[in-house]
Amino acid sequence: MITPEIKERLAKAIKGEKHISFLVGAGLSAESGIPTFRDKDGYWMPGSPNYTPQQMATWRMFCQQPLVIWNWYLNRFHICYQAKPNAGHFAIKDLQDLFPERFALITQNVDGLHFQTGMNSKQIYSIHGDLRFMRCAAACHKDLIPLPNQLKNRGLQEKLTKEEIMLLQCSDCSGFYRPHVLWFDEIYNEEYYKIHTVKYTAINTDLLFIIGTSGATNLPNQVFQLALRNNTTVIDINPNSSLFTAEILYSPNGYWIKEKSGEALPLIVEEMRKLKTEIV
Ligand code: OAD
């Protein structure tokens, strides 16, 4: 799995000075029991009788039916609140500990599992939001409000109760809070989704690991392109091919490790630990 060529690339990156970065998607959390979006049993695959998820996960639909959308999200998120980080999440934390000055994590995952590992959260960029938080839908203020525990532990329910609805109302303007996630009809910004920071990170990276993502969204694609164009070594860990695969295989700087992240990442981090001791 770690070929001599990959080993050489890892050693080269360890000698570098730029970031050692991760671009992470839903596949990382698959081994924690959270469905991905586009695999066979993914969130985006089963439609509802009336709407597809792509229609549901929109600002437009939230404006029309805030309670229906909140209930859909709380039910969808239910499984995330029960989940625990897996070996892949912990390996990423270990790598942060090995390179605390150079580490960066760009995650599309809203499940919050990285934060449960005890990582330094300043180096985590949650580019699609974070379901542990909500914010005022009318933006009467910009603060992120932790999702109340009652809403995390409610289990699967058909409808929101009166008490739950009250918890979803902004304490300042009494309008609704919204989930702190990026919707299909919204665009990335710096304030909530760190668009500029992650692009800057991408062009200042010696080694980029891409973990468990199909490459279907915009900013991750830009991160990938910026890194490749700046001569970064890119190692993609995914048991299946993705929209990145062809370019990775074509590029002299790209490597595809066709394994599950929970299995491959701990071995890679161990290898990097050994190499670091030999080099330093
Ligand atoms: P996808 O569901 O599109 O892709 C998941 C990827 O994980 C696939 O390429 C799988 O092959 C791979 N995979 C599955 N199990 C794996 C494992 N054990 N180890 C490694 N890889 C594995 O999910 P994302 O690429 O994360 O955005 O989707 C990107 C975005 O699309 C999401 O953040 C979400 C969605 O629309 C928003 O909600 C804004």
Side-chain angles (χ1 to χ4, degrees), residues 24-31 35-39 42-44 54 57 73 76 86 107-110 127-129 181-184 188 210-217 220 237-244 257 259-263:
V24 165
L28 176 72
S29 296
E31 289 160 82
T36 60
F37 292 91
R38 296 176 182 83
D39 290 318
Y43 279 131
W44 286 171
Q54 282 85 342
Y73 265 102
R76 231 197 75 188
N86 64 54
T107 184
Q108 299 170 80
N109 297 348
V110 297
I127 60 171
H128 289 167
V181 293
L182 179 69
W183 281 324
F184 281 107
Y188 295 99
I210 300 185
I211 314 291
T213 178
S214 64
T217 49
I237 302 179
N238 194 324
N240 308 303
S241 63
S242 73
L243 293 170
F244 295 136
I257 297 182
E259 306 270 349
K260 291 184 173 179
S261 46
E263 291 163 14

Side-chain angles (χ1 to χ4, degrees), residues 199 202-203 221-232:
K199 285 205 233 176
I203 55 178
N221 252 294
Q222 293 189 51
V223 167
F224 171 64
Q225 293 297 342
L226 287 169
L228 263 198
R229 268 185 257 147
N230 279 283
N231 230 12
T232 302

Side-chain angles (χ1 to χ4, degrees), residues 231-252:
N231 230 12
T232 302
T233 297
V234 178
I235 300 180
D236 187 13
I237 302 179
N238 194 324
N240 308 303
S241 63
S242 73
L243 293 170
F244 295 136
T245 312
E247 242 180 301
I248 285 193
L249 294 178
Y250 180 72
S251 163

Side-chain angles (χ1 to χ4, degrees), residues 8-50:
E8 225 171 85
R9 290 295 184 135
L10 296 177
K12 184 176 164 214
I14 291 170
K15 290 179 203 150
E17 289 182 346
K18 295 198 275 184
H19 287 297
I20 295 176
S21 305
F22 283 83
L23 169 63
V24 165
L28 176 72
S29 296
E31 289 160 82
S32 293
I34 300 178
T36 60
F37 292 91
R38 296 176 182 83
D39 290 318
K40 264 194 268 86
D41 57 348
Y43 279 131
W44 286 171
M45 299 316 275
S48 88
N50 302 316

Side-chain angles (χ1 to χ4, degrees), residues 54-205:
Q54 282 85 342
Q55 289 170 303
M56 296 286 278
T58 58
W59 168 248
R60 181 191 163 94
M61 191 66 97
F62 180 77
C63 292
Q64 289 167 2
Q65 309 192 54
L67 296 180
V68 171
I69 297 304
W70 256 121
N71 197 48
W72 183 70
Y73 265 102
L74 290 172
N75 282 342
R76 231 197 75 188
F77 290 166
H78 173 69
I79 199 162
C80 299
Y81 294 125
Q82 323 287 319
K84 294 275 165 272
N86 64 54
H89 293 99
F90 285 108
I92 293 174
K93 187 225 186 280
D94 289 344
L95 204 85
Q96 183 183 43
D97 292 343
L98 266 183
F99 300 97
E101 310 297 331
R102 297 176 61 195
F103 180 89
L105 168 59
I106 302 164
T107 184
Q108 299 170 80
N109 297 348
V110 297
D111 55 38
L113 292 183
H114 298 294
F115 299 93
Q116 284 190 41
T117 63
M119 290 181 70
N120 171 1
S121 56
K122 286 204 179 111
Q123 293 171 322
I124 305 179
Y125 306 115
S126 299
I127 60 171
H128 289 167
D130 184 338
L131 59 80
R132 299 171 306 150
F133 297 97
M134 53 190 187
R135 59 183 208 252
C136 177
C140 84
H141 62 79
K142 302 285 178 81
D143 303 343
L144 297 184
I145 312 292
L147 195 80
N149 283 335
Q150 298 94 304
L151 296 175
K152 290 181 185 163
N153 299 326
R154 70 198 282 269
L156 296 174
Q157 280 180 33
E158 272 186 23
K159 271 192 163 176
L160 292 156
T161 64
K162 242 190 210 159
E163 292 71 33
E164 288 170 339
I165 293 170
M166 279 168 66
L167 293 171
L168 292 172
Q169 281 165 328
C170 174
S171 52
D172 286 352
C173 72
S174 306
F176 279 110
Y177 289 120
R178 55 167 286 171
H180 175 49
V181 293
L182 179 69
W183 281 324
F184 281 107
D185 53 354
E186 295 182 311
I187 52 171
Y188 295 99
N189 59 35
E190 176 65 18
E191 186 173 21
Y192 290 127
Y193 307 114
K194 300 291 169 226
I195 180 170
H196 303 307
T197 307
V198 304
K199 285 205 233 176
Y200 184 74
T201 302
I203 55 178
N204 284 295
T205 286

